[in-house]
Amino acid sequence: MTSLPKSLPEDPIIRQLVAQARRSQLSRRHLLQGAGIGATAMALAACAPAGGSAPKPAVDVSDADKTLTWSNWPAYIDENDDGGYPTLINFQDTLGITVDYKIDIDDNNTYYGTIKDQLALGQATGADTFCLTEWMVARLIRFKYVQELDAANIPNKSNLAPALLNPDFDPGRMMSLPWQNGFAGIAWNTEELPAGLKNVEDLWDVSLKGKVTVLSEMRDTMGLLMLADGVDISSGDWGMDEFSKAIAVLEKQVTSGQISGIKGNEYMQDFVSGDAIAAIAWSGDITVLNAEAGFEKWKFALPDSGGTLWGDTFVVPMGSPRKKNAETLMNYYYEPEVAAEVAAWVNYITPVVGAKEVAAEKYPEVADNQLIFPDEDTLSNSHIFRTLDSADDQAFNAEFQRVKLGA
């Protein structure tokens, strides 16, 4: 494991991330405990490619080919009234690199499923860079599916929040660079539920039957369910018993029809259509929905028992021949002025030091928003799902996917 600072820094975001990282380095119990893995689990398992050598990086043609394809999640970059992306337009005009920005990531497992064969062969995936969640990025690094970044092309990497520099899956951030961080919690339609929600258990009220969705991101949905049961998900002091207890709760609510779906970002469409009025949701999405509605139609909160804190991260797949262009893009988005502009629109936590100060000057309406620049009190009620080894990842996902397929 990578060593962490001996004393906690002053910035509350960094303090929380360091403290969570310390707890995640506790000894872990293996979860299988002699149990076999069935056919369903094997089909869903995150197995490394069998045999053969690791793929080699593509020859970089960035100096001659000033183009780039970037895949990302919905509502995850600043946008103007015409559907354009101001910071990206400025990047193209200033750096001379044309970017094809694709909004084609809805779920980590689903996206990985569409490109895993190309990744294993070192072939082009259709994206030169993409921003998946860190647990998936850890898998890609473990399988040697992504290229090492050239720090000389990313001098603004020095603006990365120090606590994010040395994750256990990528010490020194040699292979990855954070894009945004955020929370998972509970959200609801304020017109339908004016009294609001306080706990995960509130989602199971009979009056909400068939109007509840939860996230297909296993660590967020299961993280909230386990937190509601008093489990410290960032520590190593829990295993299959605790996970199975939470899975039983999820399965009961799915089977009864209380939960109408286990979904990725498409849950936002259910909120807009009225098919869902309460959910386990991502923080920034709700602000975007309210901006489109023109008023606070939906509300997001961390449950009293706690929410999850996660990060999505840039990587360059082995098959990309435009790594330098991708690094130039990363460097641009690590300028505090640019990071602040993105944060003011997407309403997620920026990993860029200096962005808060810029926001206080240019975007005072968001500088005090706890979902963008959270203080220590807010962060104290959020938890990072502990890093999983291959066996943990396999066992948890097999159970979660089993329930999801029945939803």
Side-chain angles (χ1 to χ4, degrees):
M1 292 293 182
T2 304
S3 61
L4 293 163
K6 293 182 179 179
S7 61
L8 292 177
E10 291 300 319
D11 186 282
I13 298 176
I14 308 309
R15 285 173 59 86
Q16 173 71 353
L17 290 169
V18 171
Q20 296 282 16
R22 282 179 178 170
R23 289 202 294 273
S24 73
Q25 289 185 359
L26 298 173
S27 62
R28 291 163 168 71
R29 285 192 295 165
H30 284 285
L31 305 182
L32 296 182
Q33 298 176 341
I37 300 175
T40 300
M42 290 302 294
L44 296 169
C47 297
S53 58
K56 296 181 179 180
V59 175
D60 197 338
V61 299
S62 294
D63 289 340
D65 183 355
K66 296 299 182 181
T67 65
L68 174 69
T69 300
W70 176 14
S71 285
N72 212 346
W73 303 76
Y76 221 19
I77 193 172
D78 53 303
E79 189 171 340
N80 60 29
D81 293 338
D82 297 324
Y85 311 114
T87 59
L88 197 54
I89 292 170
N90 182 65
F91 170 79
Q92 294 178 112
D93 292 344
T94 304
L95 280 304
I97 298 173
T98 301
V99 181
D100 180 11
Y101 185 74
K102 293 184 176 181
I103 305 173
D104 56 357
I105 303 177
D106 179 69
D107 172 90
N108 282 288
N109 281 312
T110 301
Y111 186 78
Y112 174 71
T114 65
I115 62 173
K116 62 182 178 63
D117 292 339
Q118 292 94 329
L119 288 170
L121 295 171
Q123 297 176 348
T125 66
D128 298 297
T129 186
F130 46 74
C131 300
L132 295 178
T133 307
E134 290 202 327
W135 66 264
M136 179 62 79
V137 169
R139 178 190 297 177
L140 300 183
I141 291 174
R142 187 168 72 245
F143 291 172
K144 297 180 171 53
Y145 284 170
V146 297
Q147 300 189 45
E148 183 173 346
L149 302 177
D150 186 346
N153 295 328
I154 318 174
N156 285 334
K157 180 181 175 181
S158 61
N159 294 327
L160 172 63
L164 303 180
L165 180 61
N166 290 301
D168 55 6
F169 61 86
D170 186 20
R173 290 288 181 180
M174 307 300 290
M175 319 291 289
S176 65
L177 199 64
W179 166 240
Q180 303 289 315
N181 295 87
F183 299 114
I186 51 177
W188 61 93
N189 184 313
T190 60
E191 295 176 325
E192 298 288 342
L193 299 169
L197 305 175
K198 291 186 176 182
N199 300 293
V200 172
E201 292 87 349
D202 294 339
L203 297 172
W204 316 144
D205 189 281
V206 65
S207 65
L208 299 179
K209 185 172 183 178
K211 294 289 187 176
V212 176
T213 65
V214 299
L215 293 169
S216 60
E217 187 61 55
M218 182 271 288
R219 286 159 179 78
D220 289 328
T221 290
M222 296 308 298
L224 263 68
L225 291 178
M226 285 190 288
L227 285 166
D229 199 38
V231 178
D232 180 1
I233 62 172
S234 62
S235 80
D237 296 335
W238 60 275
M240 183 59 85
D241 289 345
E242 292 82 359
F243 186 84
S244 295
K245 188 175 180 181
I247 273 286
V249 173
L250 179 66
E251 188 166 21
K252 176 183 177 182
Q253 302 304 330
V254 167
T255 303
S256 70
Q258 184 75 18
I259 293 174
S260 62
I262 300 177
K263 301 186 175 185
N265 273 108
E266 73 267 25
Y267 79 88
M268 298 169 67
Q269 300 169 12
D270 290 346
F271 263 10
V272 172
S273 68
D275 289 339
I277 60 176
I280 291 178
W282 288 310
S283 52
D285 291 343
I286 304 307
T287 305
V288 170
L289 287 174
N290 285 333
E292 294 175 351
F295 66 103
E296 194 175 55
K297 186 174 181 179
W298 293 276
K299 181 77 173 179
F300 175 91
L302 296 179
D304 289 345
S305 54
T308 61
L309 178 64
W310 46 262
D312 291 330
T313 301
F314 281 114
V315 290
V316 178
M318 280 294 186
S320 167
R322 287 171 283 271
K323 180 171 77 79
K324 184 178 179 180
N325 290 346
E327 293 163 340
T328 303
L329 179 81
M330 296 177 201
N331 188 64
Y332 168 77
Y333 276 101
Y334 265 66
E335 295 177 9
E337 293 78 8
V338 178
E341 186 173 351
V342 173
W345 199 93
V346 303
N347 293 280
Y348 285 110
I349 305 168
T350 176
V352 178
V353 173
K356 182 176 182 179
E357 289 72 17
V358 173
E361 180 179 346
K362 292 187 175 182
Y363 314 105
E365 69 279 5
V366 302
D368 294 326
N369 188 323
Q370 290 299 299
L371 301 183
I372 308 174
F373 301 107
D375 60 23
E376 193 161 359
D377 286 342
T378 299
L379 287 167
S380 68
N381 198 32
S382 64
H383 307 265
I384 298 172
F385 200 103
R386 69 175 173 90
T387 301
L388 302 179
D389 62 21
S390 182
D392 296 350
D393 194 11
Q394 187 169 280
F396 286 170
N397 273 296
E399 279 295 281
F400 187 72
Q401 294 297 325
R402 177 183 63 80
V403 176
K404 179 184 174 184
L405 291 172

